Amino acid sequence: MIASGEPLTIAARVAAVRSRLPASVTLVAVSKLQPQEAIREAYAAGQRHFGENYAQEWRAKADALADLPDLTWHFVGGLQTNKVKYLAPRAAWVHTLDREELARELAKRFSAVGATVRVLVEVNLGGEQQKSGCAPERVEPLVALARQLPGLEVAGLMCIPPPDEAPRPHFARLRALRDQLGLRELSMGMSADWPIAVEEGATLIRLGTAIFGSRG
Ligand SMILES: *Cc1c(COP(=O)(O)O)cnc(C)c1O
């Protein structure tokens, strides 16, 4: 939550986070529900990685912002299989691979246009019933399958800890699972908990409100 009258600009917020971030950690600015002007402002401040949650909203923004070179798009939202077609070829990363059917569809759509997408397997560490994410014991077979498919590069793991629990043990568990699988990337940490995620080895953090303020 950002207090009304919050004086910081997007550029100041980007700079404030960057000053605390090791160079090895990529800041993904999650711009869902933000207007393209906000993305342009962050871009002007040097931000290059942006994350979106809704496939059609993202596609419209990607078209509107196609003039910005080196802007790298990450898709971080829950993904219905029938929306994958909007993502290829311009989404460079998908953080929310959680099932075989989705891996096959991503492979089909990206390889059809000669592109490769980096994927992270979203792990449901909390065992929450309603939540997306792959159960921990299903991660290894999903990674093995995805590694066989064209158009996919399996880069690492992602998690969103249950909001009512301390995040650190979840982050540590994700890192252990990542190490066990011999993967590189760890997408973990949001506005409320990113310093803890960085301490636990995050390589990608996903910040929305800490960069853009409230989503209204
Ligand atoms: C919205 C969202 C974020 C950013 O959340 P904030 O709390 O605003 O930083 C990060 N990751 C995912 C998957 C999201 O949906």
Side-chain angles (χ1 to χ4, degrees):
M1 287 296 275
I2 303 300
S4 60
E6 172 58 71
L8 288 183
T9 62
I10 289 171
R13 291 165 195 259
V14 167
V17 172
R18 285 203 175 284
S19 71
R20 296 173 60 192
L21 210 56
S24 57
V25 181
T26 299
L27 166 60
V28 179
V30 178
S31 47
K32 62 180 171 214
L33 308 178
Q34 300 292 344
Q36 59 151 303
E37 292 72 31
I39 298 174
R40 288 186 184 276
E41 205 176 324
Y43 184 92
Q47 180 61 31
R48 290 294 180 270
H49 291 261
F50 292 89
E52 289 278 337
N53 287 58
Y54 309 107
Q56 283 144 293
E57 181 196 354
W58 168 70
R59 187 56 179 255
K61 283 183 187 170
D63 287 344
L65 297 166
D67 59 304
L68 301 181
D70 330 313
L71 191 161
T72 300
W73 288 111
H74 297 242
F75 193 83
V76 303
L79 190 50
Q80 292 170 258
T81 309
N82 65 1
K83 300 284 171 67
V84 170
K85 60 177 182 276
Y86 296 110
L87 267 52
R90 273 183 293 167
W93 296 72
V94 169
H95 292 227
T96 48
L97 174 62
D98 63 356
R99 58 195 190 277
E100 188 179 314
E101 178 198 28
L102 187 54
R104 292 190 190 283
E105 183 67 11
L106 285 162
K108 180 178 137 192
R109 295 286 178 178
F110 279 81
S111 62
V113 293
T116 297
V117 61
R118 290 182 174 171
V119 294
L120 304 167
V121 173
E122 180 181 356
V123 187
N124 181 356
L125 292 168
E128 294 158 283
Q129 291 291 316
Q130 303 298 323
K131 217 165 109 174
S132 59
C134 177
E137 64 275 12
R138 289 181 35 238
V139 172
E140 191 173 355
L142 182 56
V143 165
L145 168 83
R147 279 175 163 156
Q148 304 298 316
L149 295 172
L152 298 187
E153 180 187 328
V154 185
L157 304 179
M158 177 272 214
C159 77
I160 306 171
D164 52 346
E165 291 179 28
R168 190 184 296 277
H170 294 282
F171 294 153
R173 225 179 126 202
L174 195 72
R175 182 184 55 194
L177 194 54
R178 190 271 319 256
D179 292 345
Q180 198 183 310
L181 294 166
L183 296 168
R184 195 182 145 77
E185 308 289 346
L186 275 179
S187 169
M188 57 190 200
M190 299 169 45
S191 294
D193 56 17
W194 68 267
I196 300 170
V198 169
E199 285 172 13
E200 295 298 333
T203 63
L204 298 147
I205 60 170
R206 310 178 310 271
L207 304 191
T209 51
I211 299 299
F212 295 108
S214 101
R215 288 181 283 272

